[in-house]
Amino acid sequence: MSMGYSECSVVREGFPRPVPGTPSNVLEQFKSLKGKVVVVTGAAEGIGYAVSEAMAEVNANVALWYNSNDAAVAKADELAKAHNIKTAAYKVDVSDPQQVQDSISKVLSDFRRIDVFVANAGMAISKPILDQTLEEYRKQMSVNVDGVVACAKYAGEVFKRQGSGNLIITSSISAHIVNVPTDQPVYNGTKAFVTHFGKSLAREWREFARVNIVSPGFFDTKMGASPSAINEAYRMAVLGRQGHIKEIKGLYLYLASDASTYTTGADILIDGGYTLP
């Protein structure tokens, strides 16, 4: 029930809260990640590696989590040498909560803190529900939903102890639309879950951390449009193409940096206009 003017005029202790003492110069705001510690899951390739690269390019220290693609190990070393930062690669199955908890402990041992956690790892088994086994359903849930929940829980505990933190969740335009021509209701549902979960965490963690969601459209990666859907992806996107991963780096940098200190609970679409029609 909405309050009337008399109720709304009551002064509430502790409000308004102070504006953070961040730089007013916008370039300095983006440089605020220097020396910070950023964890990125699903970091071996695609969007996850692009995010890791973006953080390294502004001199953040980066922990790259990967599941099976051990190319992340060499890539971590390359980033460290190229940008004179500290990096490390960790083999983590995010669907296993114990591995998530243990790996966060390892990151803390190696880096002493976590400033930003990017829950990016995901997977898709793009089938209609009548063609999909329950085992395939559970596999997607274990990574896309359970993995994000476990990462949020254990990273959130760190943020609360520190008194600060920043969680960024990679969702998808599939949380907003029903994809065509590919029927993939389970994948779409997992992304709808993590989008609303992230918004709910922004409220829950309001005293100590910010939480935001990135919802990419089709990018030219292994998780991009399948051969059967590629022409429709071109047609539906206002820009007439898939995105290049270099075009998403700035968005994650914005959300991770002091340029976004008044942004929390946001779900930002980056899809070349795909969801406009």
Side-chain angles (χ1 to χ4, degrees), residues 14-277:
F15 294 93
R17 293 174 179 166
V19 175
T22 51
S24 58
N25 181 284
V26 70
L27 291 179
E28 293 301 316
Q29 292 173 5
F30 280 102
K31 293 177 183 177
S32 65
L33 282 163
K34 183 177 182 179
K36 299 290 180 66
V37 179
V38 181
V39 178
V40 183
T41 72
E45 59 187 342
I47 289 175
Y49 180 67
V51 173
S52 302
E53 191 176 46
M55 301 304 158
E57 287 167 350
V58 293
N59 300 119
N61 299 312
V62 188
L64 292 80
W65 285 18
Y66 69 99
N67 179 31
S68 58
N69 186 353
D70 60 9
V73 177
K75 289 180 177 181
D77 289 341
E78 290 167 6
L79 290 177
K81 293 173 183 175
H83 303 287
N84 193 30
I85 58 171
K86 182 175 181 178
T87 66
Y90 303 81
K91 183 175 175 59
V92 189
D93 178 356
V94 296
S95 70
D96 181 344
Q98 191 62 55
Q99 286 193 41
V100 172
Q101 187 176 25
D102 291 346
S103 298
I104 284 179
S105 295
K106 290 176 184 175
V107 172
L108 290 174
S109 177
D110 294 339
F111 291 86
R112 303 302 177 193
R113 63 180 291 113
I114 298 173
D115 297 289
V116 182
F117 194 104
V118 182
N120 170 76
M123 64 165 298
I125 302 174
S126 298
K127 294 180 181 179
I129 190 62
L130 298 183
D131 295 338
Q132 191 157 96
T133 67
L134 290 179
E135 182 177 325
E136 290 171 329
Y137 153 76
R138 293 188 187 100
K139 178 62 176 175
Q140 289 178 92
M141 292 293 290
S142 72
V143 175
N144 295 358
V145 173
D146 298 345
V148 171
V149 171
C151 288
K153 175 174 174 57
Y154 295 120
E157 290 176 352
V158 175
F159 294 162
K160 188 173 183 179
R161 289 198 302 269
Q162 293 175 168
S164 65
N166 187 339
L167 175 66
I168 304 169
I169 297 171
T170 300
S171 183
S172 171
I173 59 169
S174 298
H176 296 260
I177 62 169
V178 175
N179 295 62
V180 292
T182 304
D183 290 317
Q184 51 181 34
V186 172
Y187 176 81
N188 296 351
T190 65
K191 292 303 181 178
F193 179 101
V194 296
T195 293
H196 201 60
F197 178 66
K199 291 181 179 182
S200 301
L201 289 183
R203 160 72 188 180
E204 179 183 331
W205 295 359
R206 62 195 179 277
E207 300 293 342
F208 59 87
R210 295 189 293 115
V211 183
N212 291 288
I213 304 101
V214 176
S215 289
F218 289 107
F219 278 76
D220 190 10
T221 69
K222 288 183 179 179
M223 290 284 287
S226 66
S228 61
I230 190 72
N231 290 324
E232 186 67 1
Y234 295 157
R235 186 188 72 82
M236 286 289 289
V238 171
L239 297 182
R241 58 180 174 84
Q242 293 194 99
H244 189 284
I245 53 173
K246 69 181 180 182
E247 296 176 292
I248 205 169
K249 292 164 71 172
L251 176 53
Y252 282 89
L253 175 58
Y254 165 74
L255 292 174
S257 74
D258 284 348
S260 63
T261 51
Y262 198 57
T263 304
T264 195
D267 173 21
I268 302 178
L269 290 158
I270 178 165
D271 65 353
Y274 188 102
T275 57
L276 288 175

